[in-house]
Amino acid sequence: LWSSLQAVLHRRELRIERFQLATMKKLNELANKEDYWGMKYELVFYYGFLYFLKHYEEKILGKKEGVRDLADWQNIIEAYHQGDITLENINSPETLGFVTGLLLKQFSNSYYAKTEKDFVKHRVMKFGSKLTPEMIWKNGLLRCEELAKQWDMKLAANYWAALPLVLLAFLEAEEQKWLVAEKEKFMTAFWSGYLIYKKVE
């Protein structure tokens, strides 16, 4: 915090990698405790900082394309609900993580209605483990279609429109080494999408 304040006072560029790593670790820790309100609090702080950072970069440093704040994700949320997600929407670790979060929360809601169990806790994340992009992909997404048929889950058309594109994007992410090298960005965005998802009535 103090080094960031000093950098701001001297109009230097701020790096957020350590902040993203700390946020990801805290979110994983809270997820293991099923403290979803605590996770939301962490994400409010995270996006509050990103809001500041975006305006700092634009107004003080003169950057045109800076970090995304929470308002920037609204277009992706709308495209997801309308079934209009494209591969161009999920071409970075953050956007892939965010859309994956929306997707798994939508699936998890239907899974819970059938089984009364939390999908991520029951099927994806083993007790005490730290959730990773690879676990989300292989333990979660790759099981969704099979489980949907097994439990006769009535998932909306937007879900089925997004799932194959997200699976393709994971293949690209593995090739680009995002799942390891950009894990902090992916996981923070994943929990953001997961916790922000709300069914459209």
Side-chain angles (χ1 to χ4, degrees), residues 41 47 52 63 70 87 122 144 179 191-192:
Y41 177 82
Y47 282 104
F52 158 77
K63 283 189 174 182
L70 194 54
L87 284 172
H122 184 232
C144 286
L179 302 184
W191 284 121
S192 300

Short mmCIF file of all heavy atoms in Angstrom, two decimals, residues 41 47 52 63 70 87 122 144 179 191-192:
data_model
loop_
_atom_site.label_atom_id
_atom_site.label_comp_id
_atom_site.label_asym_id
_atom_site.label_seq_id
_atom_site.Cartn_x
_atom_site.Cartn_y
_atom_site.Cartn_z
N TYR A 41 -16.78 -9.10 -0.38
CA TYR A 41 -16.10 -7.95 0.21
C TYR A 41 -14.72 -7.76 -0.43
O TYR A 41 -14.32 -6.64 -0.76
CB TYR A 41 -15.97 -8.14 1.71
CG TYR A 41 -15.20 -7.04 2.40
CD1 TYR A 41 -15.82 -5.84 2.74
CD2 TYR A 41 -13.84 -7.19 2.69
CE1 TYR A 41 -15.11 -4.81 3.36
CE2 TYR A 41 -13.13 -6.18 3.31
CZ TYR A 41 -13.76 -5.00 3.64
OH TYR A 41 -13.05 -4.00 4.24
N TYR A 47 -12.18 -4.28 -7.04
CA TYR A 47 -12.69 -3.46 -8.13
C TYR A 47 -12.71 -1.97 -7.78
O TYR A 47 -12.64 -1.13 -8.67
CB TYR A 47 -14.07 -3.96 -8.58
CG TYR A 47 -13.95 -5.19 -9.43
CD1 TYR A 47 -14.25 -6.45 -8.91
CD2 TYR A 47 -13.48 -5.12 -10.73
CE1 TYR A 47 -14.10 -7.59 -9.69
CE2 TYR A 47 -13.33 -6.24 -11.51
CZ TYR A 47 -13.65 -7.49 -10.98
OH TYR A 47 -13.48 -8.61 -11.76
N PHE A 52 -10.03 3.15 -9.30
CA PHE A 52 -9.04 4.21 -9.07
C PHE A 52 -7.91 4.11 -10.10
O PHE A 52 -7.50 5.11 -10.70
CB PHE A 52 -8.47 4.13 -7.66
CG PHE A 52 -7.14 4.81 -7.51
CD1 PHE A 52 -7.07 6.20 -7.42
CD2 PHE A 52 -5.96 4.07 -7.50
CE1 PHE A 52 -5.84 6.83 -7.32
CE2 PHE A 52 -4.74 4.70 -7.40
CZ PHE A 52 -4.67 6.09 -7.31
N LYS A 63 -2.79 7.12 -20.38
CA LYS A 63 -3.00 5.86 -21.09
C LYS A 63 -4.42 5.78 -21.61
O LYS A 63 -5.36 6.13 -20.92
CB LYS A 63 -2.75 4.67 -20.15
CG LYS A 63 -1.30 4.37 -19.88
CD LYS A 63 -1.21 3.06 -19.12
CE LYS A 63 0.23 2.63 -18.95
NZ LYS A 63 0.33 1.34 -18.25
N LEU A 70 -15.17 -2.70 -13.02
CA LEU A 70 -16.37 -3.54 -13.01
C LEU A 70 -17.38 -3.12 -14.07
O LEU A 70 -18.05 -3.97 -14.67
CB LEU A 70 -17.01 -3.49 -11.61
CG LEU A 70 -18.06 -4.55 -11.32
CD1 LEU A 70 -17.53 -5.95 -11.57
CD2 LEU A 70 -18.55 -4.42 -9.89
N LEU A 87 -15.98 -16.05 -29.48
CA LEU A 87 -14.58 -16.31 -29.08
C LEU A 87 -13.81 -15.02 -28.86
O LEU A 87 -12.88 -14.97 -28.07
CB LEU A 87 -13.89 -17.18 -30.14
CG LEU A 87 -14.27 -18.66 -30.11
CD1 LEU A 87 -13.67 -19.38 -31.32
CD2 LEU A 87 -13.81 -19.32 -28.82
N HIS A 122 -18.55 -29.78 -4.40
CA HIS A 122 -18.80 -31.22 -4.47
C HIS A 122 -18.03 -31.92 -5.58
O HIS A 122 -17.57 -33.06 -5.41
CB HIS A 122 -20.31 -31.44 -4.65
CG HIS A 122 -20.72 -32.87 -4.63
ND1 HIS A 122 -21.48 -33.45 -5.63
CD2 HIS A 122 -20.48 -33.85 -3.73
CE1 HIS A 122 -21.68 -34.72 -5.35
NE2 HIS A 122 -21.09 -35.00 -4.21
N CYS A 144 -19.81 -31.07 -17.26
CA CYS A 144 -21.12 -30.42 -17.26
C CYS A 144 -22.15 -31.10 -18.15
O CYS A 144 -23.28 -31.36 -17.72
CB CYS A 144 -20.97 -28.95 -17.65
SG CYS A 144 -20.26 -27.93 -16.33
N LEU A 179 -3.10 -20.74 -18.33
CA LEU A 179 -3.65 -21.40 -17.16
C LEU A 179 -2.67 -21.44 -16.00
O LEU A 179 -3.07 -21.58 -14.84
CB LEU A 179 -4.11 -22.81 -17.50
CG LEU A 179 -5.16 -22.91 -18.62
CD1 LEU A 179 -5.61 -24.35 -18.80
CD2 LEU A 179 -6.36 -22.02 -18.34
N TRP A 191 -13.90 -15.79 -10.04
CA TRP A 191 -14.74 -15.59 -8.85
C TRP A 191 -15.64 -14.37 -9.02
O TRP A 191 -16.76 -14.33 -8.50
CB TRP A 191 -13.88 -15.47 -7.60
CG TRP A 191 -13.34 -16.79 -7.11
CD1 TRP A 191 -12.03 -17.14 -6.95
CD2 TRP A 191 -14.11 -17.94 -6.71
NE1 TRP A 191 -11.93 -18.43 -6.50
CE2 TRP A 191 -13.20 -18.94 -6.33
CE3 TRP A 191 -15.48 -18.21 -6.65
CZ2 TRP A 191 -13.61 -20.19 -5.89
CZ3 TRP A 191 -15.89 -19.46 -6.21
CH2 TRP A 191 -14.96 -20.44 -5.83
N SER A 192 -15.17 -13.38 -9.76
CA SER A 192 -16.01 -12.21 -10.04
C SER A 192 -17.26 -12.62 -10.81
O SER A 192 -18.38 -12.27 -10.44
CB SER A 192 -15.24 -11.17 -10.85
OG SER A 192 -14.09 -10.73 -10.14
#
